[in-house]
Amino acid sequence: MTALYQVHALGLIRLAVVMLGDRPAAEDVVQEAFCGLYRRWHALSDTTKALSYLRSSVINGCRTAARRRNRQLPGLASDPPGESAESAALISEEHQEVLAAIRQLPDRQREALVLRFYLDLDEEEIAASMRISRGTVKSTTSRGLVALGRILGEQS
Amino acid sequence: MNTVEDRIRAATRAAANTVPPDGVPPLRLPTAGPTRRHRRARRARRWQLNLGSYRPRWTPWLTPAAAALAVVVIVVAVVGIGHSVHHSGGTGTRPATTHPGPAVPGTTAGPPVSAYVDSGQIPPYYLAIAPPSAATGIPAAADVRATISGRTLATIEPTAAHRAIVAVTAAADDRTFVLAEQAAAAGTGAEYGQAIAFYLVRLSSAGQPGPLTRLPESVPAGQLMTGLALSPGGSELAIAIQPGHAGAASATQEIKVYPLGGGPVRTWSGDGIIGASDDATSLSWADSQRTLAFNWQSGQVASVRLLNLESAGGSLLANSRQVMSVAAELTQPAGLSVITPDGSAIVYAASPLARADSKLPHAYTTSGFAEFSTATGRVTRILGSWSGPEAVNVLWSDANGRVLIGIIASADHTYVGVISGNTFTPLNDQANTAAPDTSTW
């Protein structure tokens, strides 16, 4: 488990940071994903699929964390989450605008776009990570791009 | 950095790089072994670890009328080119025994599948999209299978390298099928946004496919096909298209009906969404060929509508009427429904939303198939209702909806089977069914 963590933790934390824009929350999500895998290791039918399982757990964890954050801050529920001050200082205004737009998308559209264009996963891998069919990946990606283009167009 | 895709890549990588390589905290695992609570949870949730790469998207839709919910989606497929047909030893439509497949928890098994086929209640053959096989080098193909045994009788390969069969639709005779084939974009392996070509194939009485015939119809590159249905008589092909997808500002959806023998193409259009990409279940024909049912999403409402095919084309909404509607999540545009061939009802697959993140009431805890009258829009029959399965899907209906072929996803397995009354008989040889939503009768 420790070896698995050493190999994949950085990539998974970065994935969660992209999704959430919040590094402490991202680290918590990844820790919980590894703890979940640890508890279920003996039930995993194919241990070579551990990364796929972890990626799915991180995606689900990010979704839960984002919803929990919105519930805790009901007044801000409709506001897109932004980067932490520390992170924001490292990201250009153009990139912050795009990230804010991505985080306004519905969960599945956001996840499909991040997996496709950040991780460069193919449709089969995205389908496995999101546990949806390949056709749904294609249409969700397509609609996410349309929606994102619309949001960015409105902002510019 | 002009495209939306480029902007996503640059922005997400900039965000990711705010975490330095040495910024990973140590792993904090639980100090004790699994607790009793964890062991219980592990047993209860074991299914989550055994799903393999395929899991249908079971979507949360709310159907107040049916006390059940549902969703779903579907589909997909793949296949490539250089079309050739592989015949697998003998016709083999009947297994050594005709006992039912594995029992599905929470359901009651009905008669064996062979009884349904032998009595003519369900068709003997079906096509299903087979996933790519690294072992054989076949990128993806359409398998012809026997309903009774589940055995693959022949494999139809794509017509050339780097192509994929992405959807299959059937006429009512169970012998005539249309395959949708799409090229993969160079370098990415993805068919997304590429042109789609259509091929007609007929099966012999023994279930062996003849040569593929290229149809003149096509979906141009840059458009998204979200529905495909061959008419019961095999004379017309209905296709749902989103003319502009990636980068487009509009949500225009079209249905086109092509006479396969030649003649004018009719087009209906409106602002909304039908189905998902490569979705061969979002459209269904009544036997009269005067009515086409389609799933429709506009805003937060998803519905099933009936298109009047006697109209010359034009407005999709003005030439159709709504049968039933449910609340939908924006990201799950397709419902699972078929019109019965006699045109009297919509069979709607309703699934519970037991997910922790569900916004839906916990009262919606059963799966089943609800029949809505096309005349009144009211629920007229519940064709199966179970508390065990997580989700269901409907793939085929007999003339009046008394016998269905559909999908039940239980805790650790996805089954394709025959629904009749309140029974469910799984097909044999489920292991061959990698993508059950693509099974087409």
Side-chain angles (χ1 to χ4, degrees):
Chain A
M1 186 63 65
T2 302
L4 203 62
Y5 185 80
Q6 288 173 344
V7 173
H8 297 299
L10 176 62
L12 292 168
I13 291 172
R14 285 177 165 177
L15 172 63
V17 164
V18 171
M19 293 279 192
L20 294 170
D22 180 340
R23 187 165 157 189
E27 291 174 352
D28 287 345
V29 165
V30 172
Q31 286 281 346
E32 181 54 34
F34 274 90
C35 288
L37 180 63
Y38 170 75
R39 289 192 292 264
R40 297 171 186 131
W41 185 259
H42 297 294
L44 193 63
S45 58
D46 182 353
T47 53
T48 63
K49 293 179 179 173
L51 177 59
S52 179
Y53 171 79
L54 285 167
R55 197 183 285 138
S56 293
S57 296
V58 169
I59 291 168
N60 289 333
C62 288
R63 189 184 301 174
T64 303
R67 291 179 178 178
R68 188 184 304 129
R69 178 169 54 195
N70 286 344
R71 281 198 300 270
Q72 289 170 345
L73 301 171
L76 301 176
S78 60
D79 297 330
E83 304 300 317
S84 66
E86 182 184 0
S87 296
L90 302 172
I91 301 175
S92 71
E93 189 174 337
E94 146 71 11
H95 293 158
Q96 288 189 50
E97 178 190 349
V98 174
L99 291 167
I102 290 172
R103 290 171 193 143
Q104 288 181 54
L105 295 173
D107 293 337
R108 285 182 187 273
Q109 290 182 11
R110 177 176 63 252
E111 292 158 8
L113 293 187
V114 169
L115 293 176
R116 178 74 188 89
F117 297 110
Y118 168 60
L119 288 186
D120 283 331
L121 299 186
D122 64 26
E123 287 159 0
E124 198 69 40
E125 292 169 316
I126 297 171
S129 296
M130 294 179 64
R131 292 175 176 170
I132 58 178
S133 74
R134 193 169 166 172
T136 307
V137 170
K138 287 201 273 187
S139 53
T140 302
T141 304
S142 172
R143 286 165 189 147
L145 285 171
V146 171
L148 192 66
R150 194 176 298 148
I151 294 170
L152 292 171
E154 288 169 358
Q155 289 176 349
S156 62
Chain B
M1 191 177 301
N2 296 321
T3 68
V4 173
E5 291 95 327
D6 287 339
R7 295 177 74 183
I8 297 170
R9 286 191 179 95
T12 53
R13 282 163 194 172
N17 288 335
T18 62
V19 183
D22 60 356
V24 178
L27 178 62
R28 303 182 302 271
L29 289 175
T31 53
T35 65
R36 179 182 297 178
R37 180 172 66 85
H38 290 148
R39 285 194 295 271
R40 279 202 304 272
R42 185 172 65 199
R43 284 195 296 273
R45 300 169 68 184
R46 195 174 193 127
W47 60 273
Q48 290 181 319
L49 306 177
N50 292 322
L51 294 174
S53 61
Y54 174 77
R55 182 163 184 79
R57 84 192 184 194
W58 313 110
T59 304
W61 287 17
L62 174 60
T63 94
L69 250 211
V71 174
V72 189
V73 180
I74 307 188
V75 185
V76 181
V78 178
V79 185
I81 290 200
H83 143 245
S84 63
V85 176
H86 293 277
H87 303 275
S88 305
T91 56
T93 57
R94 188 168 296 277
T97 60
T98 56
H99 58 77
V104 180
T107 68
T108 302
V113 174
S114 57
Y116 289 107
V117 174
D118 290 345
S119 62
Q121 291 180 283
I122 63 174
Y125 305 116
Y126 68 103
L127 262 63
I129 303 294
S133 168
T136 64
I138 297 174
D143 284 344
V144 181
R145 296 182 185 157
T147 305
I148 292 178
S149 66
R151 183 179 303 173
T152 297
L153 306 177
T155 298
I156 305 170
E157 290 186 32
T159 58
H162 310 301
R163 296 187 65 85
I165 295 173
V166 296
V168 180
T169 179
D173 63 2
D174 193 41
R175 298 291 188 277
T176 308
F177 294 81
V178 166
L179 310 174
E181 188 177 283
Q182 194 171 28
T188 67
E191 303 97 26
Y192 167 75
Q194 301 298 301
I196 295 175
F198 299 99
Y199 294 85
L200 183 74
V201 63
R202 297 185 195 280
L203 304 185
S204 69
S205 59
Q208 294 301 313
L212 296 190
T213 302
R214 173 77 184 263
L215 299 175
E217 294 73 25
S218 64
V219 176
Q223 301 191 2
L224 194 67
M225 181 182 76
T226 61
L228 175 70
L230 184 60
S231 66
S235 59
E236 295 179 289
L237 184 65
I239 304 172
I241 295 171
Q242 290 173 15
H245 60 109
S250 72
T252 299
Q253 179 80 58
E254 291 180 348
I255 291 179
K256 290 179 179 290
V257 172
Y258 297 89
L260 298 185
V265 178
R266 287 167 293 161
T267 301
W268 296 264
S269 60
D271 290 340
I273 294 173
I274 294 174
S277 184
D278 310 332
D279 192 342
T281 63
S282 58
L283 308 176
S284 57
W285 293 75
D287 267 351
S288 67
Q289 298 199 181
R290 294 196 296 268
T291 302
L292 183 77
F294 62 98
N295 296 318
W296 180 251
Q297 182 177 338
S298 180
Q300 294 284 0
V301 176
S303 58
V304 178
R305 301 182 67 89
L306 302 181
L307 176 62
N308 174 16
L309 294 175
E310 294 182 309
S311 61
S315 166
L316 191 53
L317 294 182
N319 289 291
S320 66
R321 65 181 175 87
Q322 178 177 304
V323 176
M324 48 83 71
S325 66
V326 296
E329 283 192 347
L330 269 179
T331 54
Q332 299 291 351
L336 295 179
S337 63
V338 298
I339 189 169
T340 56
D342 67 6
S344 65
I346 294 292
V347 177
Y348 192 85
S351 303
L353 267 199
R355 306 278 188 237
D357 59 357
S358 168
K359 300 169 187 170
L360 297 168
H362 294 299
Y364 296 102
T365 56
T366 59
S367 295
F369 299 89
E371 185 181 276
F372 291 76
S373 164
T374 54
T376 67
R378 296 187 176 178
V379 176
T380 52
R381 212 167 17 161
I382 300 297
L383 302 160
S385 179
W386 305 282
S387 58
E390 278 201 326
V392 294
N393 186 5
V394 58
L395 302 174
W396 179 90
S397 168
D398 73 351
N400 53 20
R402 294 191 183 282
V403 178
L404 310 173
I405 298 175
I407 292 175
I408 283 183
S410 72
D412 60 358
H413 209 89
T414 298
Y415 302 89
V416 180
V418 184
I419 298 102
S420 179
N422 203 36
T423 66
F424 181 85
T425 303
L427 301 190
N428 288 281
D429 204 5
Q430 290 301 309
N432 279 344
T433 309
D437 282 346
T438 67
S439 300
T440 304
W441 279 263

